[in-house]
């Protein structure tokens, strides 16, 4: 529970004591999206230190939000949400929808993070809308960022989950996507659209014309985006 708590019997105060510790809801969101291993979860919350994440996971386990299990044969440790936590998922999603409708766009886009954006984009890619008989390599570049944070590669192989690489995997690139980070974030979360940002020269596509033309199909927007 949050240190000290609210010392109040109100159910809302009790819910806050359970969920308010920083990062708790973001960890749950990452786990609801499919991450079960420590490093997977951490990739979704890169601003959190490993030490703090260990502490928070232990607290969440003690509070009945997650369960930790270990494979005795491999030593692998996985974390899964409990039924109590799963009951929260639609409530938290509704909170995100509320923020999307009511928080000013300039405030939403004030602090951007390319790694978080690309990690979330990766898991929403619709591989069925990409070529089914070959590997597809798409490089995203954000020129305004420092060199070691500028480029990201999405790899889609038939029958395999889409992978995100932070360094050049060495394959020929099918489509080069160069964008302002604010424009790509805005388009992905639904504050604008790809069509609008491309028309304003904020996003450019060079390479495979089929991949470029079908980007609206395979780059599925955030679940918070308003259709």
């Amino acid at each position: 529970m949050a240190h000290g708590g609210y010392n109040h019997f109100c159910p809302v105060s009790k819910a806050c004591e359970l969920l308010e510790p920083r990062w708790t809801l973001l960890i749950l969101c990452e786990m609801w999206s499919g991450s079960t291993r420590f490093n997977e979860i951490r990739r979704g919350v890169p601003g959190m230190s490993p030490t703090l994440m260990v502490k928070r996971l232990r607290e969440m386990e003690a509070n009945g939000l997650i369960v930790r299990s270990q494979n005795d044969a491999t030593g692998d440790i996985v974390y899964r949400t409990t039924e109590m936590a799963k009951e929260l998922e639609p409530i938290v999603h509704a909170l995100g929808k509320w923020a999307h409708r009511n928080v000013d766009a300039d405030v939403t886009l004030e602090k951007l993070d390319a790694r978080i954006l690309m990690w979330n984009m990766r898991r929403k890619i619709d591989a069925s809308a990409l070529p089914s008989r070959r590997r597809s390599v798409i490089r995203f570049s954000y020129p305004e960022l420092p060199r070691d944070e500028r480029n990201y590669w999405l790899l889609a192989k038939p029958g395999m989950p889409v992978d995100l690489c932070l360094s050049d995997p060495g394959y020929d690139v099918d489509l080069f996507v160069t964008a302002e980070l604010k424009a790509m974030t805005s388009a992905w979360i639904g504050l604008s659209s790809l069509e609008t940002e491309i028309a304003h020269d904020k996003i450019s596509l060079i390479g495979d014309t089929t991949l470029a033309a079908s980007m609206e199909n395979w780059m599925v927007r955030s679940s918070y985006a308003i259709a």
Side-chain angles (χ1 to χ4, degrees), residues 131 134-139 154 156 171-176 206-209 211-212:
R134 65 172 174 84
R135 176 182 58 231
S136 296
V137 182
I138 304 161
R139 193 188 80 176
L154 288 177
Y171 300 122
D172 291 337
V173 175
D174 298 296
L175 181 65
F176 294 86
I206 299 175
D208 188 301
T209 55
L211 279 177

Side-chain angles (χ1 to χ4, degrees), residues 73 81 206 220:
T81 54
I206 299 175
V220 180

Side-chain angles (χ1 to χ4, degrees), residues 124-132 134 136 138 156 162 208 210-220:
K124 296 283 286 183
I125 296 295
D126 183 0
S128 67
L130 294 168
S132 59
R134 65 172 174 84
S136 296
I138 304 161
V162 176
D208 188 301
T210 300
L211 279 177
S214 63
M215 190 172 181
E216 287 275 10
N217 297 325
W218 53 260
M219 200 186 87
V220 180

Side-chain angles (χ1 to χ4, degrees), residues 24 27-28 31 56-66:
T24 298
I27 291 173
L28 285 174
M31 294 180 70
R56 197 66 76 236
L57 288 170
R58 286 175 178 165
E59 292 171 349
M60 292 168 69
E61 184 180 9
N63 290 332
L65 292 169
I66 64 173

Side-chain angles (χ1 to χ4, degrees), residues 183-184 186-188 191-205 212-213 215-216 219 221:
M184 183 60 73
S186 179
W188 190 72
L191 294 174
S192 63
S193 68
L194 279 172
E195 183 180 13
T196 297
E197 300 299 345
I198 291 170
H200 291 164
D201 295 325
K202 305 291 186 180
I203 298 175
S204 70
L205 311 176
M215 190 172 181
E216 287 275 10
M219 200 186 87
R221 295 192 302 169

